[in-house]
Amino acid sequence: MCLSSTVPRDWRTGHALPQLNLLVRVCYRLSVSLIDVYLNNLTINNPVVLKELPSCQQHSKTNRSFDSMKVRDSLQTTLSSEQPLSLRQVAAELGYDPADLYRHFPDLCRQISARYKLHAKSMFNPHV
């Protein structure tokens, strides 16, 4: 479906809202109505057959190698930098999905997230 493997899970668990363009693409490929999805009126009894997207709508995800050394160095540099960044910002700068960073370096990612949350909290409440 040209979606990250975490996207459908995040939709189901409520951790992310579906982007309309992606949801429409999924509905098209599954031959289901967007209204039925919205109203939770779906019943799929037959094996699912995916429709091909028109060629102008096909986006292929490029699979590139994960540069562990570069990513680890960047995460460690982020931890020691003066300006705290969110993990999402760090991932965007590196060109990786945040979930990939967490999978490979969970401890560093948790430290970056905690540091950023503390910084954000102190910005809204300077007495912290």
Side-chain angles (χ1 to χ4, degrees):
M1 296 281 236
C2 299
L3 297 173
S4 165
S5 61
T6 61
V7 170
R9 181 193 67 223
D10 289 346
W11 290 355
R12 282 191 314 272
T13 60
H15 286 102
L17 292 175
Q19 295 173 328
L20 185 58
N21 63 330
L22 296 178
L23 191 56
V24 168
R25 182 176 301 174
V26 169
C27 288
Y28 176 84
R29 299 259 348 246
L30 294 172
S31 300
V32 297
S33 162
L34 182 60
I35 293 172
D36 287 339
V37 170
Y38 181 73
L39 296 175
N40 200 21
N41 289 336
L42 286 180
T43 46
I44 301 175
N45 298 325
N46 302 326
V48 175
V49 177
L50 297 178
K51 287 171 74 174
E52 273 302 311
L53 286 172
S55 58
C56 64
Q57 288 292 316
Q58 293 178 3
H59 301 287
S60 60
K61 188 176 177 181
T62 57
N63 290 326
R64 63 185 176 112
S65 61
F66 188 84
D67 189 344
S68 292
M69 297 289 282
K70 177 186 171 191
V71 171
R72 181 186 297 121
D73 291 345
S74 294
L75 294 176
Q76 289 172 337
T77 300
T78 298
L79 277 172
S80 61
S81 69
E82 190 173 318
Q83 177 65 37
L85 297 175
S86 71
L87 186 64
R88 187 176 300 266
Q89 291 169 313
V90 175
E93 285 179 10
L94 293 172
Y96 290 105
D97 188 271
D100 293 332
L101 301 184
Y102 260 108
R103 187 176 319 110
H104 290 276
F105 303 105
D107 293 335
L108 288 172
C109 292
R110 279 193 280 279
Q111 290 173 34
I112 289 169
S113 294
R115 181 174 183 245
Y116 181 75
K117 285 177 185 174
L118 185 62
H119 169 74
K121 187 176 180 179
S122 70
M123 294 298 291
F124 288 108
N125 187 359
H127 302 293
V128 174

